[in-house]
Amino acid sequence: MRIRIEETICAISTPPGKGGIAVIRVSGPAALATAKKIAPGLNKKQIESHKAYFCEIIDLKNAKVDEVLVTYFVHGKSFTGEEVIEISCHGSTYITQKILDLLIENGCSMADRGEFTFRAFMNNRIDLVQAESVLSLIDSQNELSAKMALRQLDGHISKQFLKLESDLTWCLAHIEASIDFSTEGLDIIDNSVLIEKVKIILKEIYQLINSYQSGRLLKDGVKVVLVGEPNVGKSSLLNLLLQNEKAIVTEIAGTTRDIIEGATVHDGVKYLISDTAGLRETTDLVEKIGVDRSRQEALKADVLAFVLDVNERDWETSFALFKEVGGSKNLFLVNKVDQAPEISKAEITKKLQSYQANINPEQVILTSALDPKARSSVLDNVKTTIGSLSYLEEAMISSARQFEKAKYAADMIEVSLKELEKNSGAEFVAMYLKDALVSLQQILGHAYDDQIMDRVFKEFCLGK
Ligand SMILES: Nc1nc2c(ncn2[C@@H]2O[C@H](COP(=O)(O)OP(=O)(O)OP(=O)(O)O)[C@@H](O)[C@H]2O)c(=O)[nH]1
Ligand SMILES: [Mg+2]
């Protein structure tokens, strides 16, 4: 990410294509002056911050380009912290591009991806965790992921990392004081006090680290893979879950040859559902490749849904195949129950347990792809299987970067704790704690380098 704070940048902030209106954003020291050049009517008005002004955009030949609303944000009171102008124009691709060209002809530079948010970070308006949450918020496609991103944006997680940084700094300062007695104003504290303090820090870091699994699932979606023998109704269930006839369904065993994926939202959570080729031994080359792909796909599942046909009397083969792909979180969807209305869940569970003793009743769902109610019953059970998706009240991290940095900090603190407990030299302890502290500082951006900046901002879209 280029640092060029003295330049005024501009970009179209609304999605490409035509729309009712489009918004062009301008940020930097010459934002208002440039707006006045392309919209001379502004010169006649007393411009106040956070107010919108109706005016005409004029091109270099003095011809009218559009009638627009210009909103002005004074330096220090905008998202970027700089002087900002937002031009709301008619959403024609020609008009938006023309206004952007005029801004550039009048001295503005085209913004890089995420540069507005980057400037907000550089001007201390937000920290890196909040910058990442802006991206998550833009990407969010369901209620819970949007709520989680908003909570991160309002500084909920940042506060926790800040506290950890400050607690760790306190420990480090006291350890360093014992190395260098000249450090003024710090008492040498007992090892046991430090050990207790470090243990508390570790506990708090682990809470954040452990929230990543749920945070990631809320942000990216829960991956559910449907596997089973041919003809049991996997594709029919996929169509039911997606509420869309996405996969071909026939009575011919071996219909699905490839992975078919789709996303759906239920009760605020996003699910990514995959239908796979029926598992069986086959000499058909294409089907064989399909079956291999099913096995690969099963490995990627957050929840593996084994589909069985209730009409089958023998599930021996199915279970032999499941053992090959078995994940840690499994559900058993016993399908086509419309064809066996007399059967009870207790009976089915008992039968399943005869193949695999550790199956518990919560993992067993009787389904019929013909019954629309089966959709919520399957997805509710997936949510329960995942377990922690409703713990939005707690602070959650959802960025792999934050997770890796927190994990590294925890590892380093673990090492320093061992050294402390062994009563090793303070230099050793301090060395590891310093490493941990830098890693924590990198999370919020109190320490950063180009690599970190690129990782955070490269995924942003233009105009944000
Ligand atoms: N009565 C009834 N029929 C079903 C149900 N689910 C699927 N079927 C029928 O079972 C047959 C196979 O369904 P598919 O969804 O293609 O099965 P699949 O598991 O995807 O099969 P492959 O792609 O070959 O592995 C079709 O004729 C479906 O209409 C169900 O719940 N009840
Ligand atoms: Mg199929």
Side-chain angles (χ1 to χ4, degrees):
M1 188 58 78
R2 288 180 282 176
I3 299 180
R4 43 169 187 168
I5 297 287
E6 72 292 344
E7 290 181 37
T8 298
I9 54 167
C10 61
I12 302 167
S13 286
T14 36
K18 69 176 180 183
I21 59 163
V23 175
I24 297 160
R25 234 184 193 178
V26 189
S27 179
L32 181 60
T34 317
K36 283 180 172 171
K37 283 189 202 158
I38 67 167
L42 290 174
N43 288 302
K44 296 185 205 123
K45 303 184 191 218
Q46 182 67 34
I47 308 290
E48 287 175 51
S49 186
H50 293 71
K51 291 214 169 135
Y53 298 90
F54 177 76
C55 52
E56 290 179 352
I57 303 278
I58 306 292
D59 72 10
L60 297 177
K61 291 181 191 141
N62 241 355
K64 180 166 148 184
V65 176
D66 194 12
E67 293 180 349
V68 302
L69 272 183
V70 168
T71 314
Y72 169 63
F73 300 90
V74 71
H75 174 98
K77 287 194 173 163
S78 68
F79 171 65
T80 59
E82 302 171 338
E83 185 172 275
V84 166
I85 288 288
E86 282 180 8
I87 303 171
S88 306
C89 60
H90 290 100
S92 120
T93 48
Y94 166 74
I95 290 174
T96 43
Q97 191 56 48
K98 179 80 189 167
I99 297 175
L100 194 70
D101 290 346
L102 282 172
L103 287 165
I104 291 169
E105 279 158 20
N106 280 285
C108 292
S109 309
M110 188 63 209
D112 291 332
R113 281 172 174 272
E115 195 169 358
F116 291 94
T117 314
F118 174 69
R119 288 187 172 207
F121 167 72
M122 292 305 286
N123 292 319
N124 290 322
R125 300 290 292 178
I126 54 172
D127 58 47
L128 275 193
V129 169
Q130 289 170 310
E132 281 172 321
S133 70
V134 170
L135 184 62
S136 303
L137 192 57
I138 296 170
D139 282 345
S140 65
Q141 289 172 8
N142 59 78
E143 185 188 346
L144 290 183
S145 62
K147 276 190 178 162
M148 179 173 65
L150 273 174
R151 188 156 301 163
Q152 293 166 353
L153 184 60
D154 75 12
H156 203 78
I157 297 274
S158 304
K159 262 187 224 145
Q160 309 224 5
F161 280 121
L162 208 58
K163 178 177 179 298
L164 286 168
E165 254 185 51
S166 130
D167 290 352
L168 203 60
T169 307
W170 183 91
C171 293
L172 196 56
H174 282 87
I175 290 169
E176 289 191 331
S178 69
I179 304 171
D180 175 9
F181 289 96
S182 63
T183 310
E184 280 176 32
L186 279 177
D187 301 330
I188 308 295
I189 55 167
D190 203 70
N191 238 14
S192 61
V193 177
L194 271 174
I195 288 174
E196 275 321 298
K197 186 95 180 167
V198 169
K199 278 186 180 164
I200 293 170
I201 295 175
L202 257 183
K203 197 173 144 224
E204 290 173 359
I205 290 196
Y206 279 131
Q207 258 168 15
L208 285 167
I209 290 174
N210 294 336
S211 75
Y212 174 63
Q213 169 70 353
S214 317
R216 180 187 67 78
L217 291 176
L218 280 187
K219 186 171 136 208
D220 300 338
V222 180
K223 188 167 177 78
V224 182
V225 180
L226 298 158
V227 288
E229 287 193 79
N231 232 7
V232 293
K234 300 179 295 301
S235 302
S236 309
L237 287 169
L238 174 91
N239 292 345
L240 175 78
L241 295 174
L242 298 183
Q243 296 174 303
N244 175 8
E245 298 303 306
K246 185 145 188 180
I248 299 172
V249 168
T250 75
E251 63 289 347
I252 304 162
T255 299
T256 307
R257 301 296 186 93
D258 216 334
I259 311 293
I260 302 171
E261 288 172 289
T264 190
V265 173
H266 173 69
D267 201 12
V269 178
K270 181 176 163 192
Y271 297 91
L272 307 163
I273 321 274
S274 302
D275 175 26
T276 60
L279 298 169
R280 68 170 169 185
E281 293 304 325
T282 171
T283 50
D284 182 310
L285 180 64
V286 181
E287 194 180 353
K288 218 177 162 70
I289 296 171
V291 171
D292 281 345
R293 288 192 179 181
S294 304
R295 294 201 169 96
Q296 293 304 319
E297 189 70 2
L299 297 175
K300 299 181 207 156
D302 296 311
V303 173
L304 204 49
F306 293 122
V307 186
L308 294 149
D309 183 338
V310 77
N311 301 304
E312 293 292 322
R313 293 288 165 254
D314 179 6
W315 288 332
E316 195 74 47
T317 326
S318 288
F319 271 86
L321 292 163
F322 293 166
K323 281 199 177 109
E324 288 175 27
V325 296
S328 57
K329 290 188 167 146
N330 304 327
L331 284 178
F332 296 87
L333 311 188
V334 181
N335 194 34
K336 307 195 187 180
V337 291
D338 54 286
Q339 292 180 332
E342 73 295 342
I343 211 130
S344 72
K345 182 168 164 180
E347 215 177 313
I348 291 283
T349 308
K350 212 163 147 205
K351 191 173 167 197
L352 290 172
Q353 284 165 338
S354 72
Y355 295 100
Q356 192 181 310
N358 64 356
I359 294 175
N360 63 52
E362 290 85 70
Q363 289 175 280
V364 181
I365 313 166
L366 305 195
T367 59
S368 163
L370 309 181
D371 176 10
K373 286 202 277 306
R375 178 177 184 268
S376 50
S377 122
V378 171
L379 295 177
D380 287 343
N381 270 284
V382 169
K383 194 170 171 186
T384 315
T385 307
I386 289 292
S388 47
L389 284 185
S390 41
Y391 93 31
L392 246 194
E393 294 315 310
E394 313 278 327
M396 278 170 126
I397 57 171
S398 57
S399 131
R401 187 191 71 86
Q402 292 166 29
F403 170 76
E404 286 159 22
K405 295 284 173 201
K407 181 78 183 54
Y408 181 79
D411 290 348
M412 288 301 106
I413 296 172
E414 288 279 13
V415 180
S416 58
L417 183 63
K418 284 209 180 77
E419 297 295 337
L420 265 175
E421 284 170 339
K422 278 196 294 186
N423 238 331
S424 312
E427 288 88 351
F428 267 125
V429 181
M431 185 174 79
Y432 294 119
L433 278 189
K434 249 185 223 159
D435 258 8
L437 183 60
V438 170
S439 198
L440 280 180
Q441 287 170 334
Q442 287 173 337
I443 294 178
L444 288 172
H446 297 149
Y448 63 87
D449 55 29
D450 286 350
Q451 238 180 335
I452 293 177
M453 289 296 120
D454 284 348
R455 187 160 172 198
V456 172
F457 292 100
K458 79 171 194 306
E459 288 172 43
F460 271 79
C461 41
L462 276 174
K464 192 59 223 176

